[in-house]
Amino acid sequence: MSDEIWPVVFVCWKSKAEESLADIKKGSMAQPPSRKIHIRKGARFLFVTEAANMLASGHVADVQSGHFLLSLQFCAESAETAPCMTDTLLQDFKKIPKPFLKWPVSSIVIPPNHDDAILTPEWFQKVTQMLEEKKPQPLDDSNLAPKWLQKVARMFEDKKPEPQKTVSPVHHGVEKSQPQAPDKCPPKDNRKEPLQGVESKEALLKSWIPPALEGLLQERVRADQWELIVASAFKALGCQVELLGQATPGQPVPDCIARYISPTGQLTEMIVDAKAGQWTAPIDDLRAMNDYCSKANPFSNPLFVANSLAPNVHEKLKEQGIHGKPLRAITGRDLALLIMQRLTDPCFHVELEFRRIFM
């Protein structure tokens, strides 16, 4: 028997398109019934609607407890804007018998060299190639940011850097100056800054943080307010945020789930537990996070966010692990710096910064 992993086409009802797309963006999908053949880890997949709109493509990263974990190569922003098959590709797709699509999401595995195959490997290759040739449609996260953030970002984009002046040696008592174009991404100066430079940077940081998020820079904030401030900070970084703690008081759930989807469709999901004041990494908090992670997606990253951290917190967390994932903790000031960088640095990448946190 060949070890080749056969590709699969997931077909969902048109009425379930948006719901299915939301699951795809999270990187997890309930395992639909397949036609006699088992879908294997590593299989290439296409996810389309019965109306032939192409929602996503990629690989099945894993199969766990009745769910597929998906690695995305293409993901449409919405079902309405998803590209649609045309010509012979569409005609071949419409040959799928209706009884094969009786489930909200059905799966059709494509074996090679089968005379009775519904779809052929050649058809699958042409469709995936068509998606690869398309410029990936970025998932627009601008609408996820608060209105104040969008307004400030537009103000910054409108500003043009003023030419810098360099002073040449004095000739006959006259100074000559020439405009100097700033570098696109100037190298960082690692020399120790004087006190005045530190104070000016602190003032600059505060100027970029709106009143609603000033708590990020404070030593202590009331616990219920801190949860909302942290959730808003992740929204300001372009994350989709699912509030859980305040929505279900008394239940064993994290304060929120923050999901960042990159322009290429890659998902970073964070289980966030917000801790007001100085956090010392007590064992009860670590046990609670373990419970949260046991019920979450296996690719989620546990993260504590506090006003400040006790000196030995990072050492404590290094000794702990949750389901094979390292524990991480950051401060509100860390989030404030990321927000300011997102607005002021054209070379800043949110996804890369999140990855660095969990490395």
Side-chain angles (χ1 to χ4, degrees):
M1 183 178 178
S2 172
D3 290 333
E4 180 183 1
I5 300 177
W6 299 342
V8 59
V9 178
F10 298 115
V11 185
C12 74
W13 293 348
K14 187 176 180 180
S15 60
K16 296 290 183 178
E18 292 296 346
E19 180 181 334
S20 298
L21 186 58
D23 290 336
I24 294 170
K25 290 178 180 179
K26 296 176 185 178
S28 177
M29 180 187 70
Q31 185 173 351
S34 60
R35 182 174 173 262
K36 301 180 182 179
I37 305 173
H38 178 64
I39 300 170
R40 296 169 58 187
K41 175 181 176 181
R44 292 189 301 160
F45 77 84
L46 286 169
F47 203 107
V48 300
T49 69
E50 58 182 343
N53 295 98
M54 295 172 285
L55 301 182
S57 67
H59 291 78
V60 176
D62 204 355
V63 184
Q64 294 183 357
S65 305
H67 281 75
F68 290 125
L69 304 184
L70 307 177
S71 174
L72 301 179
Q73 292 179 342
F74 169 85
C75 186
E77 183 179 348
S78 67
E80 292 182 355
T81 60
C84 187
M85 297 177 206
T86 57
D87 303 329
T88 57
L89 296 177
L90 178 60
Q91 294 174 16
D92 291 341
F93 178 76
K94 287 185 175 180
K95 293 178 182 178
I96 300 175
K98 289 297 182 182
F100 285 20
L101 307 178
K102 62 181 179 179
W103 304 101
V105 177
S106 303
S107 58
I108 299 174
V109 177
I110 304 178
N113 305 320
H114 275 223
D115 295 335
D116 61 345
I118 302 171
L119 299 171
T120 65
E122 292 75 22
W123 177 91
F124 185 92
Q125 185 63 30
K126 287 179 181 178
V127 176
T128 53
Q129 185 176 357
M130 182 182 70
L131 289 179
E132 289 172 1
E133 290 174 354
K134 284 181 171 288
K135 188 176 182 179
Q137 298 185 14
L139 295 167
D140 183 11
D141 63 1
S142 62
N143 292 329
L144 303 177
K147 291 183 178 179
W148 64 263
L149 182 62
Q150 298 178 43
K151 182 177 180 180
V152 172
R154 287 194 296 269
M155 289 172 58
F156 182 79
E157 289 171 358
D158 292 338
K159 290 183 180 179
K160 296 182 179 179
E162 297 180 359
Q164 300 178 355
K165 294 184 178 181
T166 56
V167 180
S168 61
V170 178
H171 295 283
H172 304 292
V174 179
E175 291 184 353
K176 295 182 179 180
S177 62
Q178 296 177 347
Q180 181 180 13
D183 293 334
K184 185 176 181 181
C185 295
K188 293 183 178 180
D189 188 351
N190 293 322
R191 292 176 299 177
K192 189 174 181 181
E193 297 180 71
L195 180 60
Q196 184 178 1
V198 173
E199 291 177 346
S200 70
K201 278 200 168 184
E202 181 71 10
L204 178 64
L205 175 60
K206 290 181 178 180
S207 70
W208 280 102
I209 300 303
L213 296 182
E214 283 180 351
L216 293 175
L217 303 174
Q218 297 175 6
E219 291 298 319
R220 177 169 291 278
V221 176
R222 207 173 69 193
D224 57 338
Q225 293 179 348
W226 181 242
E227 294 173 12
L228 295 176
I229 290 172
V230 170
S232 296
F234 280 104
K235 289 181 182 179
L237 288 169
C239 293
Q240 297 174 336
V241 177
E242 181 182 357
L243 279 170
L244 296 174
Q246 293 208 352
T248 55
Q251 297 299 314
V253 294
D255 293 313
C256 69
I257 302 292
R259 302 181 180 94
Y260 181 79
I261 304 174
S262 73
T264 56
Q266 297 301 308
L267 172 69
T268 301
E269 183 170 285
M270 293 160 281
I271 302 171
V272 181
D273 199 359
K275 298 298 178 184
Q278 186 180 71
W279 189 61
T280 59
I283 191 65
D284 288 345
D285 288 351
L286 304 184
R287 287 173 178 167
M289 179 63 81
N290 184 74
D291 293 339
Y292 304 154
C293 292
S294 65
K295 301 174 184 177
N297 291 319
F299 51 81
S300 299
N301 299 287
L303 181 65
F304 293 96
V305 183
N307 285 112
S308 62
L309 302 175
N312 62 341
V313 163
H314 293 301
E315 286 70 22
K316 277 187 179 181
L317 297 184
K318 285 180 181 178
E319 301 172 0
Q320 304 290 334
I322 291 181
H323 303 287
K325 295 288 184 68
L327 279 170
R328 293 290 183 263
I330 61 175
T331 66
R333 179 172 293 273
D334 294 328
L335 287 177
L337 285 168
L338 291 178
I339 292 170
M340 187 185 76
Q341 285 180 280
R342 187 185 184 213
L343 293 172
T344 60
D345 185 358
C347 300
F348 182 72
H349 296 282
V350 177
E351 180 188 14
L352 180 59
E353 294 303 319
F354 283 152
R355 286 183 180 180
R356 285 176 177 170
I357 291 174
F358 298 107
M359 286 177 61

